[in-house]
Amino acid sequence: MPVYVIALFPGDSALLLFLLVAGTFVGLGVLTDGLRMAMLTVAAGISLVASQYLGGFVPASVLSDNSVWRSFGLDAALAYPALLAVLFLVIHKLHEMATIEIKYKLEPRKHADWRRVNSVIGLCLGGILGILHFLYIAGKLTPVGYATAQMPAADPAHDPLGYRLVGRLYKDFHSLGIDHAASPFDPMPGNYYAAVDVAALVYNNFGTKDASHILQFRGRLLSYPGLIDAAFQNVNVIHLGRVHPGNKFLEALITRRGLSTVLANPTLLNAMRDPQLHKQLAQVDLDDLHDYLHKGESRQYNSVALAQQRRPRILGRWVMDVDNTVEQFDRAYPSATDPRTKRNIRQYL
């Protein structure tokens, strides 16, 4: 049974998340005091730094079965609250000791003033921590939400509820400008979003279900000079792009099964773990590739640019006309009338 995400107004999910997170910390600041919240602020800073190094120790069973989620920094995001919970126990003990120390050092007539000041500090620090934690959550969700929003499933029910919620949150973050404010907590490098834009072009163009359009786009993608080595030499990429009925990756693209299905493809996961492919793709100008897929023209690989770089000019790429080639073969070898032979030749070509 599909689960639908109800929209109340633009940006509603982001505002509701803000009220939940900020309200929790403000309430905590009211219930406790400024001293405890100050200690919690220090603990949050320590946990934030330490979680970047301890994220790799998060058990695989806690994360999704898909190993790609560690690259999104979700392991560090899970390590952060665990570290904060441990430090909170330490804070509780230190708070008791500090309270006793302050009580005996202050004059009795100043105790009421201290309680009042301590309460106000707790409320203020609670609000500050609430805002920072909201931005932290937004920063961690933005990379996943950006990809999910760019590559939605044709049938939303095919994507898990978590994907849809994150995609919805990202759209609301973006509409309110929160994604820019949360960028310091975004774990992904700058070229990640350029890579997602290219991936979204591939996903959406293959999902047109127009065979001629798909073949034209596939030809343009594989003809980009910066991808030639990877496209025709890397085994994983060859398997991903091979057109045959058993290619589950292409099937997921053409039917637009959604990001969750695409990322779970074993061949794609093997390609993502291939260090040689990483080196080849690292040399690709993603902005130039994006423009090339749009217009069929490259700023980097044109005759003028190649001449300025003293590099050999690229003449072009040829695509075999299989039907015409088979007809020429039939005319050249009229005795080869065995249907199995013709079928094997066509399949080979």
Side-chain angles (χ1 to χ4, degrees), residues 20-40:
L20 177 63
V21 176
T24 299
F25 279 92
V26 169
L28 184 62
V30 172
L31 293 175
T32 59
D33 54 42
L35 184 60
R36 190 189 298 271
M37 295 304 294
M39 292 180 177
L40 184 61

Side-chain angles (χ1 to χ4, degrees), residues 150-174:
Q150 293 277 71
M151 292 174 273
D155 181 2
H158 286 156
D159 266 338
L161 179 61
Y163 282 75
R164 283 175 276 159
L165 287 175
V166 172
R168 165 73 180 285
L169 279 168
Y170 166 74
K171 290 179 180 178
D172 286 346
F173 290 153
H174 183 68

Side-chain angles (χ1 to χ4, degrees), residues 193-330:
Y193 293 96
V196 172
D197 289 339
V198 172
L201 271 179
V202 175
Y203 177 85
N204 291 303
N205 276 278
F206 270 85
T208 59
K209 296 185 179 180
D210 181 342
S212 61
H213 178 88
I214 292 172
L215 289 174
Q216 182 183 7
F217 180 82
R218 178 179 179 274
R220 180 176 291 185
L221 174 66
L222 297 182
S223 68
Y224 182 70
L227 292 178
I228 292 289
D229 290 342
F232 296 98
Q233 294 180 13
N234 188 281
V235 176
N236 290 312
V237 177
I238 292 173
H239 288 327
L240 287 173
R242 184 173 293 164
V243 181
H244 63 87
N247 190 332
K248 298 297 183 183
F249 178 74
L250 280 184
E251 180 185 339
L253 290 183
I254 293 171
T255 58
R256 296 186 65 176
R257 294 284 294 181
L259 191 61
S260 59
T261 303
V262 173
L263 289 178
N265 183 270
T267 308
L268 178 63
L269 292 175
N270 289 334
M272 293 174 68
R273 290 190 288 262
D274 186 347
Q276 180 62 29
L277 181 59
H278 282 193
K279 292 180 182 178
Q280 291 172 326
L281 295 182
Q283 308 302 318
V284 176
D285 183 337
L286 294 172
D287 292 328
D288 185 61
L289 172 58
H290 188 273
D291 292 343
Y292 179 81
L293 293 177
H294 262 299
K295 306 172 185 177
E297 299 176 357
S298 168
R299 300 185 308 275
Q300 185 176 3
Y301 298 103
N302 60 68
S303 57
V304 176
L306 293 174
Q308 291 175 345
Q309 299 168 19
R310 297 183 180 180
R311 297 167 62 184
R313 295 185 180 184
I314 299 171
L315 298 180
R317 175 178 179 270
W318 287 263
V319 180
M320 176 181 287
D321 185 340
V322 176
D323 293 331
N324 189 32
T325 305
V326 171
E327 290 177 4
Q328 292 180 40
F329 181 86
D330 291 341

Side-chain angles (χ1 to χ4, degrees), residues 123-200:
L123 178 62
C124 294
L125 287 178
I128 293 172
L129 280 177
I131 294 173
L132 290 176
H133 279 82
F134 169 72
L135 294 177
Y136 176 82
I137 294 172
K140 293 298 184 183
L141 293 181
T142 291
V144 184
Y146 186 81
T148 305
Q150 293 277 71
M151 292 174 273
D155 181 2
H158 286 156
D159 266 338
L161 179 61
Y163 282 75
R164 283 175 276 159
L165 287 175
V166 172
R168 165 73 180 285
L169 279 168
Y170 166 74
K171 290 179 180 178
D172 286 346
F173 290 153
H174 183 68
S175 65
L176 298 176
I178 295 170
D179 54 334
H180 298 296
S183 58
F185 300 106
D186 188 339
M188 306 306 289
N191 60 357
Y192 163 79
Y193 293 96
V196 172
D197 289 339
V198 172

